[in-house]
Amino acid sequence: MLGTGAGERGLRGAAICAALLALAACGPAQRDPAPPAAPVADENLELLIPSLVDAIQAKQPKFVLDHVSHTFKEDGGLDYYDVRALVEKFALVDDVVGARLESVRLTPESDGRQRVSARVAFALGQRLAPGDSLPEDGVVYALEVVFAKNAGGWQAVGGRYKRESPPATSPPTASIATR
C-alpha cells in the first residue's frame, strides 16, 4: 500500500474511483483555459471506464461518484465517503489534473459482476494526452476494480490498487476479494 502522506491518500482515492481515481502531488501547476467536455454516461462498461478516467481530468466528480456504490470498500479501507471526499477535493483545486487510461481488461465474474484490470497514469499540473510521455513526476497505478450492475447501471463495489511507476517494475496486482 501507499505511504501515509496526504498526497498519497489523495492519489489512492482518485485512482480507485476511476477505475478509478487518484492524484499524486506532482509538478508545478499550469492553468488550462479550456477543460475537456464532461464525459457522456454510457452503461456499456467498455465505454464507461475511459469516460470515468476522462471525468477525473474534466473535474466532473458527480459523474465519477454516480458510478461508485455507497457500499464500496477498497481493500486498504477506503469506503464510498472517503472516495467522495478525495474526488471532490481534487475537483475543487485550481491545478490542472491529468489522467490517462493506459490499458484496460474486463473479466466477467460468475455472479454477473465485471472485474476491470487497468493501468491509469496521473499527473498534477498538466493534461495527459494519448501518446504523450509521462512527466517525470507523473505516476501509473495498476487497478483492479469490481463493478456490479444494478438498476442505475454499473457501479464500483470493491477494488485494490498498486503503484506501478516510476519505475514500472511492480509485480501484477493480485486478485481482489469481492465480498
Side-chain angles (χ1 to χ4, degrees):
M1 289 291 165
L2 296 175
T4 59
E8 294 288 328
R9 284 192 304 272
L11 186 57
R12 177 175 74 195
I16 288 296
C17 222
L20 294 165
L21 310 173
L23 296 171
C26 298
Q30 300 172 357
R31 297 284 178 199
D32 186 1
V40 176
D42 190 324
E43 293 310 319
N44 174 336
L45 195 54
E46 289 181 20
L47 299 175
L48 177 61
I49 298 305
S51 291
L52 288 169
V53 175
D54 290 346
I56 294 168
Q57 194 158 245
K59 295 187 176 186
Q60 299 292 325
K62 181 176 180 347
F63 181 81
V64 174
L65 294 171
D66 284 349
H67 294 90
V68 179
S69 170
H70 286 266
T71 62
F72 177 86
K73 193 67 165 179
E74 184 261 339
D75 286 357
L78 283 176
D79 65 11
Y80 170 84
Y81 297 99
D82 296 322
V83 171
R84 177 180 164 182
L86 293 168
V87 170
E88 289 174 345
K89 172 186 170 187
F90 284 104
L92 295 173
V93 298
D94 287 336
D95 291 340
V96 172
V97 175
R100 179 177 64 213
L101 186 62
E102 301 289 327
S103 65
V104 65
R105 184 181 76 240
L106 279 67
T107 307
E109 301 276 313
S110 62
D111 61 0
R113 296 177 184 200
Q114 293 274 335
R115 181 179 309 273
V116 175
S117 302
R119 291 179 67 246
V120 182
F122 297 96
L124 189 58
Q126 72 181 68
R127 300 267 176 234
L128 292 177
D132 287 353
S133 59
L134 187 64
E136 185 176 308
D137 51 2
V139 296
V140 176
Y141 276 81
L143 308 171
E144 282 199 15
V145 180
V146 175
F147 281 83
K149 193 164 191 176
N150 61 28
W154 289 103
Q155 289 191 318
V157 295
R160 76 171 45 191
Y161 71 95
K162 183 169 184 97
R163 185 178 179 136
E164 191 175 81
S165 74
T169 58
S170 298
T173 303
S175 297
I176 57 176
T178 58
R179 306 224 188 248

